[in-house]
Amino acid sequence: MTQEDLFKKLIAHSKEYGFIFQSSEIYDGLSAVYDYGQLGAELKNNIKKYWWEAMVRLNDNIVGIDSAIFMHPRIWEASGHIGAFNDPLIDNKDSKKRYRADVLLEEHIAKIEEKIEKEVEKGRKKFAENFDEAKFKETNPNVIRHQNKIADIQNRMNSALNSNDLDALKQLILDCEIVCPVSGTRNWTDVRQFNLMFSLQMGSTAEGANTIYLRPETAQGIFVNFLNVQKTGRMKIPFGIAQTGKAFRNEIVARQFIFRMREFEQMEMQFFVRPGEELKWFEQWKTNRMKWHKLLGLGDENYRFHDHEKLAHYANAATDIEFHFPFGFKEVEGIHSRTDFDLGNHQKYSGKKLQYFDSETGESYVPYVIETSIGVDRMTLLILSAAYREEQLADGEQRIVLRIPPVLAPVKLAVLPLLKKDGLPEKAREILNALKCDFYCQYDEKDSIGKRYRRQDAIGTPFCITVDHKTMEDNTVTVRHRDSMEQQRVAISKIHEIICEQVSFKNIFEQLMM
Ligand code: ATP
């Protein structure tokens, strides 16, 4: 199955089992907006819980807030979003399709990177055990040629973006001979800038109305509350403020399902530090965030850092954590050293001091900030795409299983009476009632037991508890494990412990703190 087929199947599966629906579907949908169904909402909540508790509960010096989506419009002037939150767009005159100029170039670079990978594979086959990948990359003429090409494109792209030279960006697209994926032609318009913020009118009369914006990131709600939280929480630097919430961007290229949406959710944490110490904290948060991802057990090889060469105007270091999605390695989280840009500007624009008095050094200063910013929806897509499997079983049957990490699985266990008679349903409900205060459970008595297992596999339920006639005699049940499909006979009194061991965040958190 190609990665593209896998992705299509995943989208269909997400809909079929109540994870994700197109928004406003009965009106033919709204582009790049999605609704979460009964299981998607649970999965998303579990992801947010994993993030929130890892930030706020495990770190004594991080607190969480919930700021409003509507904010004073001056905030977006101070943050630079009104002036500079633009994407460079370009249209193909034949297909009438619109693209982000930088994305077209990045996709072109990714294709060259694939060529390098192919060369490396050839080398690996040729030299077998003697293969030294690093040396091969340094010396193979084809690889060197591809690498130089990438470096040249990246340099030209960064310099065009940094100097806002849209003509140079277009020239680069022409020089790379990039064609429109739909029409196949190079008939491009000029590159233009496009602001990504949604604006709306606030106020009851047209004359008195103010133009305000739907926030394009949650971070500014944290910056403008910096002093409120620092003072009321008696926070001492270094400390962090976390929040999760909706953000809105009028994305030009809204493709790839929930990867790029116009309404989405973020989980952001701003960590305030002494000026001069920011790069040390930047490294620390890079390590911590990568660990948070890898502890979910989805394969270390699926993650990598992508350090930014082109830095935003406010940053002095930045990296992305990228994950191997079915459409390639793509950003799931950004970690940025934002200097004192945001607080400094809010101080300037609001006229209010946003300084911290450091009792250890006896100085007042505007703190520097390290930001970690991850999309909840992208993280949901990451989990679903890593979890989706079509497996061939020993008995010749096939199953679709979502190997969602048990801590994040929407339904933790299903209780299944083997038959719909002989008191088995009543016994099963009794077990269910005892467990449902602690875990999200399902009860299912319809169809054969095999079919019921398949239904639970398809939604990623880690445990099925089967109640049979033996249960009535000796108070034992069968616990069936999703991934191994192994069945274990245990006393009812043991079920809680077995499930807790797998679905509680405790084990992961203990490792994250190490
Ligand atoms: P991209 O380069 O993909 O547009 P970005 O660098 O603009 O992303 P940030 O502004 O750093 O993204 O936002 C932080 C995180 O928010 C991203 O890593 C991503 O997980 C999420 N995010 C950003 N834009 C979107 C979107 N349109 N839809 C879904 N998630 C998003």
Side-chain angles (χ1 to χ4, degrees):
M1 187 171 29
T2 64
Q3 291 290 296
E4 206 176 316
D5 288 341
L6 170 86
F7 192 45
K8 280 191 190 139
K9 285 191 171 178
L10 180 68
I11 295 171
H13 189 84
S14 301
K15 180 176 174 196
E16 187 182 345
Y17 285 91
F19 282 88
I20 300 160
F21 307 124
Q22 174 72 58
S23 155
S24 322
E25 197 186 3
I26 59 170
Y27 289 93
D28 296 333
L30 186 63
S31 166
V33 187
Y34 290 88
D35 296 337
Y36 286 82
Q38 61 280 14
L39 294 179
E42 292 288 337
L43 175 58
K44 222 173 134 191
N45 281 341
N46 292 342
I47 290 172
K48 286 191 274 185
K49 189 167 179 216
Y50 178 39
W51 184 87
W52 184 270
E53 300 204 344
M55 283 292 174
V56 175
R57 198 141 64 103
L58 296 195
N59 296 288
D60 311 340
N61 57 352
I62 298 183
V63 290
I65 64 164
D66 183 10
S67 71
I69 290 174
F70 293 164
M71 293 199 277
H72 196 288
R74 291 272 286 164
I75 287 174
W76 305 111
E77 283 174 45
S79 68
H81 283 84
I82 288 183
F85 193 51
N86 301 318
D87 275 346
L89 66 85
I90 188 165
D91 293 359
N92 182 269
K93 290 186 201 161
D94 298 319
S95 67
K96 308 268 181 279
K97 292 277 173 206
R98 180 163 286 179
Y99 300 92
R100 256 171 70 177
D102 55 333
V103 170
L104 280 181
L105 288 164
E106 270 159 17
E107 284 171 358
H108 183 68
I109 290 173
K111 280 190 192 139
I112 306 177
E113 277 171 349
E114 274 170 30
K115 286 185 188 163
I116 296 180
E117 278 315 304
K118 279 196 185 133
E119 291 291 341
V120 171
E121 274 318 301
K122 270 199 256 166
R124 197 186 308 280
K125 276 198 192 125
K126 192 168 158 198
F127 298 108
E129 300 97 73
N130 300 328
F131 185 62
D132 176 343
E133 184 171 332
K135 195 150 173 224
F136 181 81
K137 280 185 168 166
E138 272 168 31
T139 51
N140 179 283
N142 287 343
V143 173
I144 295 173
R145 193 166 35 83
H146 291 318
Q147 276 168 341
N148 288 342
K149 211 169 176 182
I150 291 177
D152 178 51
I153 298 172
Q154 253 159 357
N155 284 340
R156 286 180 63 188
M157 179 167 80
N158 291 343
S159 106
L161 290 171
N162 284 334
S163 58
N164 207 10
D165 186 345
L166 303 181
D167 291 339
L169 213 50
K170 177 172 178 185
Q171 195 53 49
L172 183 56
I173 289 173
L174 295 177
D175 292 350
C176 290
E177 303 186 346
I178 295 175
V179 296
C180 165
V182 178
S183 68
T185 70
R186 292 183 216 147
N187 193 7
W188 297 110
T189 62
D190 287 342
V191 179
R192 280 160 297 149
Q193 289 289 20
F194 177 79
N195 193 290
L196 298 183
M197 281 202 295
F198 287 100
S199 63
L200 65 149
Q201 300 298 312
M202 185 184 224
S204 50
T205 60
E207 307 84 65
N210 271 325
T211 299
I212 61 164
Y213 300 91
L214 290 178
R215 64 180 179 197
E217 61 176 27
T218 59
Q220 298 304 324
I222 292 179
F223 288 123
V224 297
N225 278 299
F226 159 71
L227 265 195
N228 283 339
V229 175
Q230 190 271 317
K231 291 218 150 76
T232 56
R234 295 185 295 124
M235 308 302 289
K236 283 211 169 349
I237 269 181
F239 74 90
I241 306 178
Q243 87 164 322
T244 67
K246 288 274 179 149
F248 305 83
R249 295 181 189 181
N250 197 2
E251 297 280 1
I252 303 166
V253 191
R255 274 182 292 144
Q256 293 162 330
F257 195 35
I258 56 169
F259 182 81
R260 192 174 298 288
M261 300 152 89
R262 297 203 163 104
E263 171 180 343
F264 59 101
E265 209 166 341
Q266 288 186 314
M267 307 188 278
E268 296 199 295
M269 195 278 298
Q270 318 297 133
F271 199 71
F272 300 92
V273 304
R274 272 189 198 144
E277 292 187 357
E278 71 276 10
L279 294 179
K280 176 187 91 183
W281 286 109
F282 175 72
E283 289 305 323
Q284 204 139 319
W285 278 109
K286 263 177 85 168
T287 309
N288 180 289
R289 293 304 304 150
M290 188 57 109
K291 204 166 168 195
W292 181 91
H293 283 280
K294 289 187 174 172
L295 281 170
L296 288 173
L298 300 171
D300 290 4
E301 68 286 0
N302 288 322
Y303 299 87
R304 70 180 188 194
F305 284 116
H306 171 232
D307 294 332
H308 289 206
E309 284 173 23
K310 180 209 169 226
L311 291 173
H313 54 288
Y314 51 74
N316 67 1
T319 194
D320 295 335
I321 294 179
E322 294 187 338
F323 181 77
H324 197 192
F325 285 97
F327 39 85
F329 270 99
K330 296 278 175 204
E331 168 181 347
V332 61
E333 172 158 5
I335 301 164
H336 312 122
S337 172
R338 288 177 80 125
T339 66
D340 59 354
F341 172 82
D342 303 86
L343 287 181
N345 264 10
H346 285 307
Q347 189 168 257
K348 203 152 75 195
Y349 279 71
S350 68
K352 308 271 169 15
K353 263 200 165 170
L354 291 177
Q355 298 207 343
Y356 172 80
F357 175 71
D358 194 326
S359 54
E360 274 178 41
T361 62
E363 281 174 294
S364 285
Y365 52 79
V366 177
Y368 272 43
V369 171
I370 305 303
E371 159 183 271
T372 71
S373 173
I374 170 172
V376 184
D377 312 272
R378 259 186 218 184
M379 187 62 196
T380 306
L381 181 59
L382 182 161
I383 297 295
L384 288 173
S385 53
Y388 183 89
R389 303 282 165 80
E390 290 178 5
E391 293 179 352
Q392 204 63 43
L393 305 180
D395 60 5
E397 284 226 3
Q398 223 208 12
R399 72 163 180 167
I400 292 179
V401 56
L402 290 185
R403 290 173 174 259
I404 300 176
V407 289
L408 300 181
V411 179
K412 303 300 188 200
L413 69 125
V415 185
L416 318 171
L418 192 61
L419 299 174
K420 249 193 280 184
K421 56 179 186 184
D422 303 335
L424 301 187
E426 290 74 16
K427 187 73 182 169
R429 289 224 175 257
E430 197 183 293
I431 296 172
L432 178 84
N433 288 337
L435 293 170
K436 74 180 180 195
C437 296
D438 289 316
F439 312 110
Y440 183 33
C441 313
Q442 276 192 357
Y443 174 85
D444 190 2
E445 58 178 27
K446 200 164 172 291
D447 297 324
S448 72
I449 196 76
K451 271 198 180 155
R452 282 181 270 168
Y453 284 157
R454 292 288 166 276
R455 275 204 288 271
Q456 294 300 328
D457 286 343
I459 63 170
T461 307
F463 300 100
C464 287
I465 313 291
T466 308
V467 174
D468 53 23
H469 289 100
K470 200 159 178 283
T471 312
M472 309 300 277
E473 289 161 19
D474 64 1
N475 273 325
T476 63
V477 291
T478 303
V479 175
R480 183 229 186 223
H481 297 255
R482 176 195 70 197
D483 295 348
S484 63
M485 293 189 291
E486 264 167 28
Q487 304 195 7
Q488 182 187 11
R489 195 80 201 175
V490 304
I492 292 174
S493 57
K494 282 267 173 233
I495 303 175
H496 190 276
E497 189 186 321
I498 292 172
I499 291 166
C500 241
E501 169 70 21
Q502 294 279 320
V503 308
S504 139
F505 286 118
K506 190 164 184 274
N507 289 338
I508 292 188
F509 285 161
E510 276 170 359
Q511 292 180 66
L512 193 59
M513 285 190 299
M514 278 190 326

